[in-house]
């Protein structure tokens, strides 16, 4: 389908919006995921992003030029592709995209072609964000591969040597762990999730930060080693999500950080499921 594409990844903490044209992701924006956002609010957000891009206020991605971004944003979007893990927001953003493009957007879910062989017992249980990550990761990095998304939840996905989705792990994310400690332990404060000052903290806040961040790092290093052992090969490792940059620099395993994984996955899913016009 010719024209510009809006890719929208709706997460529990952040909504990512990407502007793409001719198979290239030109620009991206982020906003806080508002639990009760209405269709009108979602439409205003999308329209505001496009207006900012037309006025040269969007940072181009990769080799895209500011004038390319501005020209693409000046067009009426031809279509949209959405991945959502927040059911209460799916309708609002899908409705906003439909009003903006004039047609029903592609919403990732059961029945959508992915090009992936699934080792999951029930593929319908796999979250839309996980599908988008996997599609882009396999296309970009090949196989075997471990894909980690560090958001509200930390998800670990495994692509085997044949390029099939072998399954994954789901666990609490860093921010969720920090909030849970503060909520359930009366004398522990809520701390900001950032690089710890040292391995061993010398105050309660330092000790919590070290435990949360180094604990997640050790967990992912250990899981990567266990997964490699189970596969009988050494998979590449790619991290995405809001805490990816923090953790990647602390891991013993070499890891790529890819902030646009889900948006590029949505572009690929759109290409697989929409016939050119």
């Amino acid at each position: 389908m010719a024209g510009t594409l809006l890719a929208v990844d709706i997460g529990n903490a952040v909504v990512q919006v990407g502007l793409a044209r001719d198979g290239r992701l030109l620009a991206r924006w982020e906003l806080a995921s508002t639990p009760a956002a209405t269709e009108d609010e979602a439409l205003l957000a999308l329209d505001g992003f496009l207006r900012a891009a037309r006025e040269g206020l969007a940072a181009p991605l990769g080799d895209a030029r500011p004038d390319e971004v501005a020209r693409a944003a000046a067009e009426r979007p031809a279509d949209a592709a959405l991945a959502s893990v927040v059911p209460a927001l799916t309708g609002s953003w899908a409705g906003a995209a439909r009003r903006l493009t004039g047609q029903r957007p592609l919403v990732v879910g059961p029945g959508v072609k992915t090009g992936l062989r699934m080792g999951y017992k029930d593929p319908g249980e796999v979250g839309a964000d996980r599908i988008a990550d996997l599609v882009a990761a396999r296309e970009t990095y090949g196989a075997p591969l471990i894909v980690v998304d560090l958001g509200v939840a930390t998800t670990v996905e495994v692509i085997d040597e044949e390029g099939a989705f072998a399954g994954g792990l789901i666990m609490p994310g860093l921010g969720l762990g920090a909030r849970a400690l503060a909520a359930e332990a009366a004398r522990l404060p809520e701390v900001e999730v950032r690089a710890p000052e040292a391995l061993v903290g010398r105050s309660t806040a330092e000790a919590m930060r070290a435990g949360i961040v180094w604990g997640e790092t050790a967990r992912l290093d250990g899981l990567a080693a266990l997964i490699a052992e189970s596969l009988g090969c050494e998979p590449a490792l790619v991290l995405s999500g809001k805490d990816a940059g923090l953790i990647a620099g602390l891991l013993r395993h070499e890891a790529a950080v890819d902030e646009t994984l889900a948006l590029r996955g949505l572009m690929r899913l759109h290409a697989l499921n929409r016939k050119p016009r």
Side-chain angles (χ1 to χ4, degrees):
M1 182 176 292
T4 57
L5 172 72
L6 289 176
V8 184
D9 177 34
I10 304 160
N12 288 293
V14 171
V15 177
Q16 283 194 94
V17 179
L19 177 66
R21 200 180 199 294
D22 300 328
R24 295 169 63 216
L25 186 62
L26 302 177
R28 66 183 279 269
W29 300 268
E30 285 188 356
L31 72 158
S33 188
T34 306
T38 65
E39 184 176 309
D40 288 336
E41 288 172 319
L43 179 63
L44 285 171
L46 290 174
D47 186 62
F49 293 148
L50 292 173
R51 184 168 58 251
R54 289 195 297 270
E55 295 173 359
L57 300 178
L61 294 174
D63 61 355
R65 301 188 310 273
D67 61 305
E68 282 185 287
V69 177
R71 283 198 304 271
E75 301 176 22
R76 181 180 185 178
D79 205 355
L82 277 70
S84 175
V85 296
V86 189
L89 292 180
T90 306
S92 296
W93 283 91
R98 184 173 187 174
R99 287 164 65 181
L100 200 58
T101 65
Q103 67 173 333
R104 188 185 302 273
L106 174 72
V107 179
V108 178
V112 169
K113 297 176 186 175
T114 66
L116 284 170
R117 286 194 296 113
M118 304 291 285
Y120 229 61
K121 292 180 179 178
D122 181 0
E125 290 182 353
V126 184
D129 57 338
R130 297 168 71 193
I131 292 292
D133 282 349
L134 285 164
V135 168
R138 191 186 66 170
E139 184 175 58
T140 305
Y141 301 98
L145 183 66
I146 300 171
V147 184
V148 180
D149 191 330
L150 291 132
V152 172
T154 294
T155 60
V156 180
E157 318 296 357
V158 180
I159 297 175
D160 65 21
E161 285 185 287
E162 284 71 44
F165 174 42
L169 302 93
I170 303 173
M171 59 207 84
L174 278 80
L176 185 57
R179 291 191 296 274
L181 272 177
E184 298 298 327
R187 297 190 61 186
L188 294 183
E190 187 168 331
V191 296
E192 179 188 0
V193 176
R194 56 180 171 83
E197 292 82 355
L199 175 61
V200 178
R202 298 181 65 187
S203 69
T204 298
E206 286 182 9
M208 289 177 67
R209 189 173 295 115
I212 292 163
V213 176
W214 282 115
E216 182 76 339
T217 303
R219 177 166 66 176
L220 291 177
D221 267 325
L223 286 172
L226 288 172
I227 291 168
E229 183 180 338
S230 71
L231 291 176
C233 59
E234 196 64 41
L237 178 62
V238 58
L239 273 57
S240 188
K242 67 184 183 67
D243 293 317
L246 168 63
I247 296 299
L250 302 175
L251 289 170
R252 292 186 177 182
H253 286 79
E254 183 178 346
V257 175
D258 195 328
E259 296 180 349
T260 64
L261 204 57
L263 296 179
R264 297 200 323 278
L266 284 168
M267 292 166 58
R268 178 60 180 156
L269 289 166
H270 181 267
L272 287 171
N273 288 274
R274 294 288 211 227
K275 293 181 179 179
R277 295 195 303 184

